[in-house]
Every structure is written in structure tokens, then in C-alpha cells.
Amino acid sequence: MSDTNSPGQPGSEDSGEKSWPEYLTGGQGHGDLPAGASAADPEGPAGPRRVIGTPSPAAARTLLPAAEVDGGRQVTPELPAEPDDPSRAKRVEKVVAACFIIAALAGFAFLVFYATIGVGSITSVLHSNLALGGSMALMFLLLGIGSTLWVRHLMPTVELTEQRHPMASTPQERAAFKETFQEGADTSQFVKRPIVRRSLMLATVPLAVAPIFLLRDLGPLPGTSLDFTVWRKGQRLLIYGTGRPVTPAEFNSPGSIISVGPEGYLDDDDAMAKAAVTLIKFRPGELVFGPNARPGGPATPDKVVPNWTVDNIVAYSKICTHLGCPAALYDQNTHHILCPCHQSTFDATLGAKVIFGPATRPLPQLPIGVDSQGYLIALGDFNEPVGPSFWERS
Amino acid sequence: MSVERALEGTGVWLDDRLHGARGVRVLLRKVFPDHWSFLLGEIILYSFIILLLTGTFLTLWFQPSMTDVIYHGSYIPLRGLRMSEAYASTLNISFDVRGGLLIRQIHHWAADLFMAAIMAHMIRVFFTGAYRKPREINWLIGIVLFTLGMFEGLFGYSLPDDLLSGAGLRITEGILQSFPIVGTYLAFFLFGGPFPGHDIIPRMYILHVLVIPGLILALVTVHLFLMFHQKHTQMPGKGRTNENVVGAPMYPYFMAKTGAFFFFTFAALALAATFTQINPIWLYGPYNPVAMSADSQPDFYMGALEGALRLFPAWQWVFFGHTFAFNVFVPALLPLGIVFGGAAAWPFLEQWITGDRREHHLNDRPRNAPTRTALGIAMITFYGVLWAEGANDIIADHLNISLYLTTWIARFAWLIAPILAYIITKRICLGLQRKDRHLLEHGVETGIIRQLPGGEFVEETRPVDEEALAVLTSRSEPPPLRALEIPEAEVPAPGMRGSLGKVRERLYNVVTESIPLPDGHANGHGNGHGNGHAIESDGHGQESLPAGADQSGGTDQH
């Protein structure tokens, strides 16, 4: 408790601290504030700085001195204690109280609903959400309405004016600051001793670079991994979802489309993010074959490679060449594949040539054939990288 | 009375240790100006607080893990499906934690409200010129907060690892890959290898719950401190000048009002979360890289980016064996770069053009800065076209027009519509200024027709009242261009020489284009210190009032 009493004690205790009461008072006449607030004995050894004739600490017992001017601030008038319209205030008082009482009831209701309404099924979650949310919203709404009515009708209307001062310090203040700053710099010898300064700067260089090095193991280097998928020669095409292999005979209704992936990788999202394939069955004559396209060579941009189709079934990468979304929408009438993310549109009869949207390249075609048991298989990987463009792609 | 004693005791105890009586007293009486549009910033603050509260609740159950699990929870349609722990725990929060769905929905709605309120607040600050000196720092902090909010939102809605947000991450990866030279490395480092990998959810989680909220909290604190320290701007009105603040004291008025506003914000979010479903991840299903549904939309604040990606033409080049995905890189960075970069540069550009280096604490009415207002509307139009294009599939579907037509419209509109918006807005502002001038010159129409002794009919008008007069005559006239020249010398001032000076002179004429106030109301041009306004230049204002009254109270024949 010793630290809460004895006004002026710090000053009398230690000559080294004698300056602090002056700092606090700033010569502005409320030096009694810290003293009076806790003065146990106004007549005691207290207040070595108190001059006879100044207000006694007892008079300054309150935290807020009655009259006070600080730093040029306008002395603000007292706020009125009575509302503008007392009779109205009397009515509003009841409304405010009613708001708060109902808010309290809504709050208790929230607790009751929490305790009584379980979750664990769609219906019960629906009920719980309505009950908890409804009571919570009602509580906050009434708290808000009550508080607003209180401010508007119970508190008197006041308008105070406060003066602004330019943000810029006065030239004297700036000069003083500059002086102090300069003194500090001089005292530190930072300017005078370049060897200290420069060696310190040198020492900070690794500090700045090290964090970048520390981030190196965030991931492996890309290498050529974006150029390839997991498709290999002879790998069966399995239907995504069921995991069954496909025969051309099963997949025989023209215009239909299925998503397939390589055998062994259907549950591997990293692999499927590049290897997902759309199989589309066409009527005879619908596919436009590229006369110059040859198996093994680069796919021509706008014609299906003839030797890579089986029974008018063609396989395209499902990964959009714009930003990698699954190009999942297919229109049977126009044979357009549409990516729902940014609407790149590919003509499936023309080697998935881009006919609209921001994608620049056709969807790569997967070379497919049939194995000895009649199931569709890949004849190899795509012969170009699938998915969005990247810097290393040539 | 014991309450009073307890309060006093606490106050004394604290003051003995902190010496707060003087400072806190000043704080309690701090004057806050009032205007409905000042509440927009408070919505941001309160949504953020609600985000922190509800977000903490959600972390108690959310598992930021991409480990595959088989779902056995309460939501029957997804039972037995393979999914990540992140998705399963989000289902758990929604269906097996009491109040979990409500808090999740409040959290999501609060994020949308946070971003919407930031936009509205920035628009308010821009159009009223509240970003001007000395508040440029707070304007820049605001732009950084907006950007951080976008990332915070993107990472947040990606955490549940549902099908929709997974596509958003895939797009994020594609955008990173489009960066020249470093793109592929950036993508591999962020995702810890090829997409999707197993690292992205835990990494986004720590960014979402610690790093970015920490930055936002720090910047919000600085933002509020500067607002306190510099004192809030005020709208023009009677008795309000550039040198004062008129309003109600913080304690009790502002505290009570802002407390009520916190309750209203929470109530609005709770209502939205109770009655409107948001981000129903159980309907989207867990992420897999093979499936995607039509009408996929990001949250609204990512819409402009999405739209830019949609409308940009398929331009891409291969140089020396390297692919430059111009069709992704440019729309991902340029449009938002123009909006954010333009917003950040504008206060400084405007200062350079007008030579106006004075402090401004009295807000402009948007009409009184026609060029600024027109530029702002042009920017909003630019952003708005991109934003609408981000939902062009929905628009095409609902309006029953061709999807490609909407994109073609947007491809032209994002360049043409802002120009039209600029021209139209400027005309409207100048028109409104003319209307104000007319009011000052001729007074307010009363609807009373009077017959003069000579038989002539005239309409009675009355002078505008003091409050309106203060509003109508409040202008912050820029210093005249002449001030930039060396007086009485034939040579232009250094800042006005050369081609840059010519550009500046032309820009000055555009930026300061305005309908002058009628004689007797005009603010002293080039008023050296510059803070003067008609309303405060006492004698001046007093004189002009009867003059205006004479003029307008008389006959007005039209």
C-alpha cells in the first residue's frame, strides 16, 4: 500500500526524481491531482511543493478538477443533465426498459434452445439454427433499438465545438526535435565511425536474405513434372466414380460423355489433377480428322488424330488449358465442351479447338486403343503438357 | 452510492499507477462529428470483431488437414465418401456442433459484410475528399486493408476444401503458374509440390487465422489511432469550419451510439445467418479435381478478378521456348492493379496537379469536385463491369441471352463504360453546381405567386436558410494556377516549365473545373493560408447574407 499514499513522496524520497512533479504539473495548475487523489494527511509532511494559498489537496479530492484549462483547449461547457423533452423521455424510458427486458428474455431463450434442441440431422439442425439465430438476432436487435432510443430521447441534445490545430509542429518544436535527434546521433558515434556503421550494415545482409533461404523447402522444384501425367501405354481407362473399365461396345450411345482416369490412380488427387480424361462418343462422320495428323507426332491444333480414336470415341484431357478447372460441361448438339470457370469453349469434333473464351490451346488428346480383352486403354501419355500454361512450357 | 465509491476507488487506484485522469478526461470529451456515412467505417470494425469472435469458435472444431478420411457423420447423403479431414470437420461443425452452422454462417456473412463495408467506406472517403492531407497515410492503410481482406477471404472460404473452393484454389495455382520466370516455382512452393498436394490447407489455415488477421488488427489499430489523433473530418454545415470539430462528446454520446451500432451489426448478421443459407458446402461435395458444376461463382469480392479472367482475349506467346500466358497474367494483375494503384496514387497526383498542400478537415460535397467524382464513378464502373462479367453465366441464364454475347459486351464495356461514366458524372456534377448557384442567386421557390401593382405576376422566393447557406457555399477552392508562377515575371515558375509543366497546367484546368459561386459568396481565391471558407470568414459571410436575401427576396422573373 505504500505506493498509493504519501503525496509528493517521490519528490522527497529521492532527489533524482525531483523533476517529475514538475513534469506532471507542467506549470498548469493541477499539480494537486496525484497528491490530492490519495492524500491521507493533508497537514503532514506532504506536498513539499505546495504553496500556501493554493487549493488544499482536500479540495481536489475528485478526479476531475472543477476548472481547468489545458494546452489551449477550449473549456467545454457542462453537458445538460435533463433531456430535451422530459415528458417524452418519461414515455421513452419505459420503451427502452421494455426493449432491454425482451432482449434479456431472448438471451435466456437462446440458452434454453441451446440446451433443448439437439443437432445431428438436417431437420434438427434447421430447427436449431432458426431457434438459436432467431433469439440471438432478437436479443441484439432489441439491445440496439433500446440503446438508440436512449441516446436519442433520454440524453439531451448537445453539440460541442472543439478547435483543431494544424498537424504540423511549430518551427521551434521541429528545431528542438532536430537538435535532440542530432545530439543522439552524435553521441552514438554512428556518423563519426564509418567502420562500425558499415560493418553493422554488412551484418544485416544475411539477416535479410536468410528468411528467403529458409522458405526453400516449402516445396520440391517443379523440374519437368508438369510436362507429364501418369498415363502409360497399355493402362486401362477406368470410369471415375465406379472404377470399372470401359469397352467400346458398352459405351455406344452417341453424344454421351464419361470421365475416366488411369487404372490405379482414381483416388490420387495429385495424379487426377492432370490425368483426368473426358471420353466422348460420336456418330460416324461427326469427327473431323486431321489429314496431316500422324500418330506419335504433335497433335494438330484443330483436327482429331485419326489413329487415336476407337469406334468414334475420342479422349480429351478434362483439365482446361486456361486455368485448370475441369472442362465439365458438354453440349450434345453443338459438340462443344465448356469450362464452367471462365467459359473457354472447345469444339470436340475439331480436336477440341478453342472456339471461344480465354483459353489459348486445344484440350490435349489422349491416344487410345483397345487391349486383348476389348477394354479401352491408353496408347501412351499425352504428347504435350496438360492444363494451364507455365513459363517452362515450350 | 457504493457504486460511485467503487468507481472512484478504481479510478484512484488506476490513476495512482497510470496518471490517466487528465488524458482520459480529454478523451471522454473528445468531439465526434456525426453523419450517416461515418457509420460505414464502424461496420467494418464491428464485422471484424465479429469475425474474430466467430472465427475463434470455429477453430475449436475445424481440422486443417488434407488427410483422406471416410465420412461417417450426421449428413447422410455424403456418408461413406472419401474426403479430406478439413471438409469432414466443416460438415461436423455444420451438423454435429450445436450453434455450429449458425456461427459458420455468421462468420461467412460477416466476411462479406466486412469487404462490402470496406468498399462503401472507401467510396465515401474518396468522394468527400477525406483522403486529402493530412489523411493520406490512413487512405493508404485502407487500401492495404482491402487487399489483405481479399486474401483473407479467399483463404478462408478455401479452407473447407469443398468442390467450389477447390476450383478457386486451382485457379489460384493457374494464376501463379502464369507469372513469367518464377511462376511454376511459386505454385510449387505454395502448394508444396503439384496441385493439390497435402500442404495447402494447413498453410492457408495459419495465414487465415494468425498472420493476416494479425496484420489487419495491427493496421486497424493504427488506422483508428490516426483517426483519433487527427480528429475526424466533418461534413459542411453551419458553424463547421476547417479549424473546428462540431459534434457530440465521445462519452456518453458516441460510446452509446457506437455500442448500439455494434448490436445492430451483430443483429443483421445473425438475421442473415438464420434465414439465408450461405456457402452450403455439403451441397457442393468434397473437392476432387475431376468434377465441376455450372454457375460456379467466387465470393463477391473476388468477382472482378474472375470477370477480368473471363473477358480477356486468348492472347499468349511463346518466346525462345518459354510460354508467356498473357491471357492469365495480365487480367489477374492489371485491372485490380489499376484500381488499387490508381486509388493509392490519386491523393498525391491531385496534390501535384492542384498545388494544394493545405490541410483539409471539412469534407467536400461530391458535386464540388466534379473531376474527382467523375474519376471515382469511372473507376467504380470499370470495377463494376468486371464484377458483372464475373457472373456473366448467371446473367446470361437469367436474362436468357447468349453467354458469349455477355462476354463481348463486357469486352467493350470495360473500356467504354468508364469513359461514358466519367463524362456523364462530370455533367451531372456541374449541373448540380449550377443548381446550387441558382439557389444562392435567386433563393428558394416558395410557390407563392404575387401580383404586382402593374398587373405583373411574379413568384416569391425566400433566401436559403443559414444551414443550407453554409452547405451551399462550402468549397475548398484550389490555389489558383497563378500561384504556381513567379508573380510579375514573364517566365513560368519552375514547376510549370517544360512539357511536364504544360501537362500539369492542362490537368490543373481539368481537375479544378467547377462552376464558380456567385459574387458575394465566393471563397477568397488563393486565400494564402487557404483554410478559409465563406461560412467562417465572419464579416464576409454576414455581409453576403443580406445581400443574397435582397437579391433573392426580390422579383425573379422567368
Side-chain angles (χ1 to χ4, degrees), chain B residues 95-282:
Chain B
F95 291 104
D96 295 296
V97 174
R98 276 180 283 180
L101 179 65
L102 181 70
I103 300 293
R104 234 198 84 220
Q105 299 210 118
I106 292 180
H107 192 71
H108 202 115
W109 273 118
D112 280 353
L113 183 65
F114 178 74
M115 292 304 288
I118 287 184
M119 290 182 193
H121 179 61
M122 284 181 82
I123 287 169
R124 194 284 289 176
V125 167
F126 183 82
F127 285 128
T128 57
Y131 59 81
R132 289 173 296 176
K133 187 181 173 185
R135 296 184 178 75
E136 303 97 322
I137 302 169
N138 251 3
W139 175 246
L140 294 179
I141 289 175
I143 292 169
V144 174
L145 281 171
F146 189 178
T147 318
L148 285 173
M150 275 180 68
F151 282 105
E152 178 71 351
L154 169 71
F155 291 164
Y157 72 65
S158 296
L159 284 178
D161 202 22
D162 57 289
L163 190 60
L164 181 64
S165 70
L169 284 181
R170 184 87 219 228
I171 294 167
T172 310
E173 189 229 9
I175 290 173
L176 281 178
Q177 279 190 11
S178 77
F179 282 40
I181 304 172
V182 295
T184 319
Y185 292 86
L186 285 180
F188 266 64
F189 287 168
L190 178 65
F191 287 85
F195 179 86
H198 286 84
D199 294 334
I200 186 67
I201 297 279
R203 284 177 187 178
M204 285 192 313
Y205 182 70
I206 201 64
L207 291 172
H208 179 77
V209 304
L210 179 73
V211 180
I212 302 179
L215 285 173
I216 291 178
L217 189 61
L219 286 173
V220 163
T221 309
V222 176
H223 197 81
L224 290 180
F225 170 78
L226 287 181
M227 185 269 289
F228 246 76
H229 181 60
Q230 296 178 328
K231 299 195 173 99
H232 206 285
T233 57
Q234 60 189 344
M235 292 297 183
K238 192 177 150 224
R240 300 179 188 178
T241 71
N242 210 27
E243 282 87 25
N244 69 10
V245 196
V246 180
M250 183 169 98
Y251 167 75
Y253 290 88
F254 182 76
M255 277 159 84
K257 281 183 192 173
T258 200
F261 204 56
F262 173 74
F263 294 137
F264 281 130
T265 309
F266 216 143
L269 289 171
L271 277 176
T274 308
F275 295 107
T276 46
Q277 187 178 66
I278 192 162
N279 201 25
I281 51 119
W282 56 89

Side-chain angles (χ1 to χ4, degrees), chain A residues 1 24 26 49 56 58 79 111 137 173 191 193 203-204 209 237 247 258 272 289 307 326 348 355:
Chain A
M1 295 304 287
L24 285 179
R49 297 181 183 279
S56 81
L79 301 177
L111 301 177
E173 286 165 339
V191 183
R193 303 190 189 277
T204 59
V209 182
L237 280 56
T247 63
I258 46 173
M272 287 301 288
F289 293 108
N307 297 3
I355 55 168

Side-chain angles (χ1 to χ4, degrees), chain A residues 39-50:
Chain A
D41 177 16
E43 301 305 320
R49 297 181 183 279
R50 201 182 139 212

